[in-house]
Amino acid sequence: MKVGIIGGTGNIGEGLARRICISGKHDVIIGSRDPAKAETAAGGVTEALSERGVGFSACSGGANADCCDADIIILSLPFDKIESTIEAIGKEKFENKVVVSLINPMLRYPEEKCFLHDSPAETSAALAIKKMLPESAKLTTGFNNVAAGKWMRLDEELDYSVVVCGDDKDAKDTVRELVADVSKLQPLDGGPLKMSNIVESITPLVITLAMNNGLKDVGVYFR
Ligand SMILES: NC(=O)c1ccc[n+]([C@@H]2O[C@H](COP(=O)([O-])OP(=O)(O)OC[C@H]3O[C@@H](n4cnc5c(N)ncnc54)[C@H](OP(=O)(O)O)[C@@H]3O)[C@@H](O)[C@H]2O)c1
């Protein structure tokens, strides 16, 4: 498959691209508002993987809209940037596409030393994004609870669960197949998209636990 990462130049995007490409199974296109920036990020991925002397699949860079030519489109942006980004790309580019949201809107409460899900009116970012996309787009959650730092450190396994919620079974199967190809991630069917508020809420809990207990790379594994 070909995987497009919209906003792929950010904290999560480059690590995600590295991990997908090192599987050797799926090509990646990193998207940006600035194609030159995306090409630089893609060059960084290729360089990091070349240094390891193992096989890997192709990573290229382009405009965010170019990601819509992929089989799976991952939205890797802050929630408040997503509506303008979809508008700039053109909603029609997402017709019939499998789209993955790893977006967790959250707020920090420094005095109380915690983070909380910043729930939109629709209860989750995923349900809000579903309204921004054409009806034919098949949206799932995925990768919401895996922290950015560990994505980049290729010597370490990603030994976490990834909960895939969505309303289209085939789309969920496609995304779970991708998840299974990344390190040791365990893809799980999390039911319909209306479960996404729970999935998104796990991340503020994980960050709060890490912050208050001096833990690193906190994640979830359901077994
Ligand atoms: N960080 C984590 O550990 C983590 C873990 C799990 C999930 N997430 C979720 O993943 C998503 C991405 O997180 P991140 O930390 O990678 O985000 P980020 O680095 O802050 O931003 C990602 C990309 O968004 C683009 N962007 C910034 N401002 C924009 C604007 N005004 N309009 C359009 N695009 C804009 C930038 O790309 P260009 O400048 O190249 O266009 C940037 O590289 C978030 O929703 C977050 O909740 C994060």
Side-chain angles (χ1 to χ4, degrees):
M1 291 188 286
K2 188 166 182 183
V3 180
I5 309 176
I6 293 178
T9 57
N11 294 319
I12 280 280
E14 192 177 334
L16 195 53
R18 282 186 181 196
R19 295 283 184 164
I20 294 172
C21 289
I22 206 169
S23 78
K25 294 185 179 170
H26 314 287
D27 290 347
V28 169
I29 174 160
I30 291 178
S32 169
R33 290 168 292 176
D34 173 2
K37 183 178 168 188
E39 279 165 27
T40 303
V45 171
T46 304
E47 199 180 315
L49 298 182
S50 303
E51 279 168 9
R52 297 179 68 82
V54 292
F56 57 91
S57 45
C59 187
S60 58
N64 280 329
D66 297 331
C67 296
C68 294
D69 296 333
D71 304 293
I72 298 182
I73 305 166
I74 300 177
L75 302 173
S76 185
L77 298 160
F79 179 56
D80 62 348
K81 310 294 186 296
I82 201 76
E83 187 159 22
S84 58
T85 300
I86 291 171
E87 269 171 25
I89 291 171
K91 186 176 159 172
E92 68 286 351
K93 287 270 205 177
F94 295 86
E95 291 279 2
N96 300 306
K97 290 290 182 180
V98 175
V99 184
V100 181
S101 168
L102 49 72
I103 297 172
N104 308 304
M106 68 177 94
L107 288 172
R108 183 177 188 179
Y109 295 84
E111 287 185 5
E112 293 162 279
K113 293 191 176 167
C114 70
F115 288 80
L116 287 177
H117 187 230
D118 185 16
S119 182
E122 294 81 359
T123 73
S124 71
L127 287 171
I129 293 165
K130 189 178 164 102
K131 284 166 71 173
M132 299 171 198
L133 295 172
E135 272 192 29
S136 65
K138 291 159 254 178
L139 180 67
T140 77
T141 62
F143 308 114
N144 298 66
N145 310 131
V146 185
K150 209 163 172 188
W151 280 109
M152 293 291 275
R153 300 196 297 272
L154 294 172
D155 289 329
E156 297 174 32
E157 302 279 13
L158 291 174
D159 194 10
Y160 302 114
S161 300
V162 168
V163 183
V164 180
C165 301
D167 298 329
D168 184 284
K169 186 188 174 303
D170 290 345
K172 277 198 290 189
D173 288 348
T174 302
V175 175
R176 285 165 65 206
E177 197 183 309
L178 173 68
V179 172
D181 287 335
V182 175
S183 191
K184 289 201 167 160
L185 293 180
Q186 175 204 38
L188 292 175
D189 183 342
L193 202 65
K194 64 183 168 195
M195 294 291 288
S196 53
N197 67 326
I198 301 173
V199 177
E200 293 174 13
S201 300
I202 290 173
T203 302
L205 172 64
V206 158
I207 298 175
T208 301
L209 291 173
M211 181 176 72
N212 291 342
N213 297 277
L215 301 172
K216 217 176 132 225
D217 301 321
V218 181
V220 288
Y221 200 108
F222 296 99
R223 51 182 136 208

